[in-house]
Amino acid sequence: MKIGLQTWGSEGDVRPFVALAAGLVRAGHHVTLVVTDDPARDYSAQAEQYGFSLRMVPNTAIADPAELDVLRQSIIAAGNPLRQAEMIMTHGFDPVMERMYAASRELCAASELVIGHFFVFPLRVAAERAGVPVASVNLVHNCIPSAQVCPPGLPDLGRWFYPLGWKLARAVINRIFLPRVNALRLREGLVPDRDVMGQTWAAERLNLIAVSRRFCSPPSDWDRRHRVCGFLSFADDGAGEPFPPGLDDFLAVGPAPVYFTFGSMMSHNMERIRETAALWRQAVMLAGCRAVFQLPCDDPSEFDDGSRIFAVRRSPYAQVFPCCAAVVHHGGAGTTQSSLRAGVPSVVVAHMADQTFWGSELRRLGVAGRTLGRNGLSARALATEIGTVLATPAMADTAAAIGREIASEDGVGLAVRLIEETFANESHAACLWQHEPSVRNPH
């Protein structure tokens, strides 16, 4: 089958699609992946390695890395999750939406099935117009309403509150996203969506929830289109990536260190890097631990501190995290997954709303303490949380058990199987698309 994939966002939104593309190729499908990501990132090596076609659709409105860095820091500083979401859409999505839609139409014209990141509503519009079946991939499990689950970000007042809470959550999400979605749908002659979480972000036939069942046991009131498949990742992720020189020696000569990374949330401005490194260093001294700092600079060695701190530009998480006592991170989906697969507890410093959710989930599982916020973060608060994690052996034991469980899952394999079962024997010519009656002006 000819299958088209399309994603948008940070590296954490792209890597699951790279893994899924590779899995579909292994299963005998012809795969094309369309990526809209940081303009400086290139996935052509992965495309060549795993045998899928790649098309990049960069956001040229923020092609300057310095400008992108300023924007990212402004979003973080905004603090309010609703304001952050609006800024992300205004600066990160809207300027490239038309180019994404053009790529979506081309992808649909060349595919028998398309699969999209749940945010990429242009792909669903293009699929409806082309009569091509579509599936969605949801990288977080907090966007599907259920009377059995408290909406994220709201206080858990009991089950009586959940329907009201979801009504409020729907209203907020619809206010931000629905005008954008329906502007394109109306322009293309389609009936407008009424609800983002129920329609726009979840395909009618298959919506893959790409998280571990350890996080998400499907509520009984979800319909069958929502299928939890597990994290979409490579079993040997990072296995071929070399250690930075000297890191293996550092890991071998003392107590297990704490790994510090804010991933894609880190500024590339050297002044900001030094500010963050100074905060981390003070937290390390207060907590009395050893540490590995991941810093996006050309020469991270300037931040080394003898036997206590070792700085790297990047390192293979799958190999390094298991050697660490804990991971201090921003709560991104990818780093959250990596820390859990390694069986290591976390200290989460959330920069944006979805990261606060992942922090709360790690705490619920018993592998993290309270989630800290990046704005106003103090070294003392960070050191206190690190000390709590290091002084709680039960967290390490729980993380190790969860790590073994998640490592045994095959998210890509299950996702491929669900895709094949749902869309068996589909062809572009034979498919009668379910949304066809919603077309307002087919001519």
Side-chain angles (χ1 to χ4, degrees), residues 213-296:
R213 281 186 172 268
R214 197 66 173 79
F215 278 106
C216 180
S217 179
S220 61
D221 58 349
W222 279 6
D223 59 62
R224 280 192 54 80
R225 64 176 161 159
H226 303 302
R227 305 299 294 273
V228 178
C229 61
F231 290 120
L232 300 178
S233 60
F234 297 100
D236 60 346
D237 198 12
E241 184 179 345
F243 267 43
L247 178 57
D248 49 357
D249 292 334
F250 176 80
L251 294 172
V253 298
V258 176
Y259 195 102
F260 287 71
T261 175
F262 286 161
S264 61
M265 297 293 100
M266 274 292 292
S267 171
H268 289 250
N269 176 280
M270 279 306 301
E271 182 179 351
R272 293 180 183 270
I273 290 173
R274 289 191 174 97
E275 290 175 355
T276 299
L279 184 148
W280 286 356
R281 182 186 302 276
Q282 187 178 358
V284 167
M285 299 307 171
L286 290 171
C289 62
R290 300 172 74 234
V292 176
F293 289 178
Q294 180 178 320
L295 298 165

Side-chain angles (χ1 to χ4, degrees), residues 11 42 44 52 71 79 82 85 97 104-105 141 157 184 223 250 256 263 280 283 303 321 343 361 376 379 392 403 433:
E11 186 177 14
D42 181 12
S44 56
F52 59 85
L71 173 60
L82 301 182
M97 194 278 289
S104 298
R105 294 178 65 180
H141 52 294
L157 304 178
L184 180 60
D223 59 62
F250 176 80
W280 286 356
F303 300 98
F321 281 7
E361 286 291 88
T392 311
W433 179 235

Side-chain angles (χ1 to χ4, degrees), residues 361-377:
E361 286 291 88
L362 290 173
R363 186 173 190 179
R364 178 178 64 83
L365 292 180
V367 296
R370 67 187 181 97
T371 299
L372 302 173
R374 180 64 181 96
N375 290 333
L377 178 67

Side-chain angles (χ1 to χ4, degrees), residues 168-201:
L168 175 62
R170 284 179 189 271
V172 171
I173 293 296
N174 286 342
R175 180 168 63 83
I176 296 173
F177 294 95
L178 210 51
R180 292 174 164 88
V181 173
N182 285 336
L184 180 60
R185 292 186 64 81
L186 289 169
R187 192 186 82 190
E188 295 301 299
L190 301 176
V191 168
D193 280 353
R194 298 180 304 278
D195 177 63
V196 169
M197 287 190 285
Q199 289 179 285
T200 309
W201 287 353

